[in-house]
Amino acid sequence: MTNVLLSPKQQLALDVLLASGDRARAAQAAGVNDRTLRKWMHEPAFLAALQTSQDATLDQVTADLVLAAGGAVALLAGTVDNKDAALGLRLQAARTLLDAALRWRELRGIERRLEALEQALNETPTTIEAPGGSDIAPAHRTATGRV
């Protein structure tokens, strides 16, 4: 992904950094020293490009995992039901399924509680006190919790 705010050297360093995770290799590929790359990694445009690329990669990996999950569950369930499989293998598959189900349920519960808290926070008017003690009209919080 090319970012117009980055120089060609910065873009090359970013691409190598994303592909390898190796800062020294990224600096070498871009023809700069490690100090320059460290400096770039503190610049808002470079950091934003890095974060955007990492987020896109994580989104793709997540989508791939979701697609593979059905097959993984089917394989594990098939192993549990396979009377010819070793008992230890069947038990391990059953444990894996149960652990995953419990983690999913726990995470989903946390997600629902967090959504409810965010919604309640966004619906709660906040009164701003002006200097001298008088109240200013209530303000509503934004999605980030800011007034």
Side-chain angles (χ1 to χ4, degrees):
M1 175 187 320
T2 302
N3 187 312
V4 295
L5 299 176
L6 301 180
S7 72
K9 285 186 174 191
Q10 287 176 318
Q11 184 63 55
L12 181 57
L14 178 67
D15 291 344
V16 173
L17 189 60
L18 290 167
S20 70
D22 186 332
R23 201 171 63 204
R25 187 180 297 170
Q28 183 180 16
V32 298
N33 60 38
D34 189 61
R35 183 176 177 194
T36 299
L37 182 57
R38 283 195 315 261
K39 179 183 159 212
W40 289 348
M41 292 181 78
H42 292 286
E43 293 178 6
F46 192 88
L47 281 174
L50 179 61
Q51 185 67 50
T52 299
S53 296
Q54 289 172 332
D55 288 348
T57 299
L58 186 56
D59 288 346
Q60 184 58 55
V61 167
T62 301
D64 292 345
L65 287 171
V66 168
L67 288 174
V73 169
L75 177 63
L76 288 167
T79 302
V80 170
D81 293 338
N82 183 352
K83 305 297 183 204
D84 295 330
L87 180 59
L89 182 62
R90 292 175 64 204
L91 289 172
Q92 184 178 359
R95 188 178 305 116
T96 300
L97 282 171
L98 291 172
D99 287 347
L102 291 173
R103 278 194 311 270
W104 170 253
R105 183 177 179 165
E106 180 182 9
L107 288 173
R108 186 62 185 128
I110 291 169
E111 182 180 26
R112 286 180 177 149
R113 291 192 336 249
L114 181 58
E115 288 170 354
L117 287 170
E118 288 174 338
Q119 184 175 356
L121 182 63
N122 288 333
E123 292 173 357
T124 305
T126 303
T127 303
I128 301 171
E129 190 174 314
S134 65
D135 288 342
I136 299 176
H140 289 280
R141 296 184 186 275
T142 64
T144 61
R146 295 187 182 123
V147 178

